[in-house]
Amino acid sequence: MPWAERLLALVTSGSNMSGKSTLLRTVGCAAVLAQAGAPVRATGLRLSPLQVGASIRISDSLRQGRSHFMAEVQRLRQIVDLTEGEFPVLFLLDEVLHGTNSHDRKIGADAVLRGLIERGAVGIVTTHDLALAQIAERNELRVENVHFQDRIEDGQMFFDFRLRSGVVTRSNAVELMRSVGLDV
């Protein structure tokens, strides 16, 4: 992709089951394995030493009295703290701050992303919240919107798992709800 050499972060949108979380896991695993000397499935790879900081599949804890949102905020703090280390950080944030309202989410996600980039980190953020795609509209952050998409043919959903430039333009949540018998 032509933007790959100049970007610092991707904001990745897409419909449900389109591959956003899988992208994060794949990039994270590939980065860790490559640094360990394992082969990568690519024509070539240039990778400086880095630390991987991920916020994927965050859980709440009734026993610890910690909500999903608090668990995620604490994990984001850990990732920001990694930027004080010797190596740059690759951040992988899945559905960042989805445990709060859309207003606070947008403000918080913008601040966290800005803070990570200002500290020299690079990474990927996934979202269903298309308002977060506006973060990439400010060119000074060097953030790009990319997306996955799906198509529906004869009531069946198909995914090609190809990353495309821009923000996703359609969703599939209503179709998925109907497919399991919800009256939507």
Side-chain angles (χ1 to χ4, degrees):
M1 296 188 168
W3 39 259
E5 288 293 321
R6 60 182 161 77
L7 69 88
L8 295 176
L10 296 176
V11 174
T12 308
S13 58
S15 57
N16 294 291
M17 304 176 354
S18 63
K20 298 179 305 298
S21 297
T22 301
L23 172 67
L24 293 183
R25 290 182 181 104
T26 302
V27 168
C29 287
V32 169
L33 290 170
Q35 290 184 97
V40 295
R41 185 148 172 81
T43 305
L45 174 69
R46 287 186 328 181
L47 183 66
S48 300
L50 53 78
Q51 302 175 89
V52 177
S55 178
I56 302 172
R57 293 191 59 152
I58 299 297
S59 298
D60 59 359
S61 174
L62 188 57
R63 179 179 292 161
Q64 295 175 349
R66 189 174 62 208
S67 69
H68 177 92
F69 180 73
M70 182 53 75
E72 184 176 14
V73 168
Q74 290 171 338
R75 181 64 188 134
L76 291 172
R77 176 77 252 173
Q78 291 172 341
I79 294 169
V80 169
D81 288 347
L82 283 176
T83 63
E84 296 171 10
E86 179 181 354
F87 298 109
V89 172
L90 169 64
F91 60 86
L92 305 169
L93 311 179
D94 196 19
E95 292 296 330
V96 65
L97 300 175
H98 73 277
T100 193
N101 66 70
S102 58
H103 173 74
D104 290 347
R105 181 182 196 186
K106 184 177 177 190
I107 292 169
D110 183 77
V112 168
L113 186 57
R114 178 180 298 280
L116 286 166
I117 289 171
E118 287 174 354
R119 289 172 175 83
V122 297
I124 305 171
V125 176
T126 65
T127 188
H128 285 278
D129 186 348
L130 300 184
L132 294 186
Q134 295 172 358
I135 292 170
E137 293 175 5
R138 289 190 317 277
N139 294 332
E140 80 275 6
L141 286 181
R142 293 185 11 207
V143 176
E144 295 285 337
N145 283 311
V146 295
H147 71 279
F148 290 106
Q149 63 187 30
D150 65 291
R151 70 181 195 286
I152 299 176
E153 294 176 10
D154 298 323
Q156 262 193 306
M157 225 170 294
F158 296 93
F159 303 92
D160 64 10
F161 305 107
R162 294 180 189 263
L163 200 56
R164 294 171 170 82
S165 293
V167 180
V168 71
T169 57
R170 66 177 307 286
S171 65
N172 64 11
V174 172
E175 288 97 344
L176 285 171
M177 289 185 269
R178 288 180 180 146
S179 76
V180 300
L182 292 176
D183 190 20
V184 179

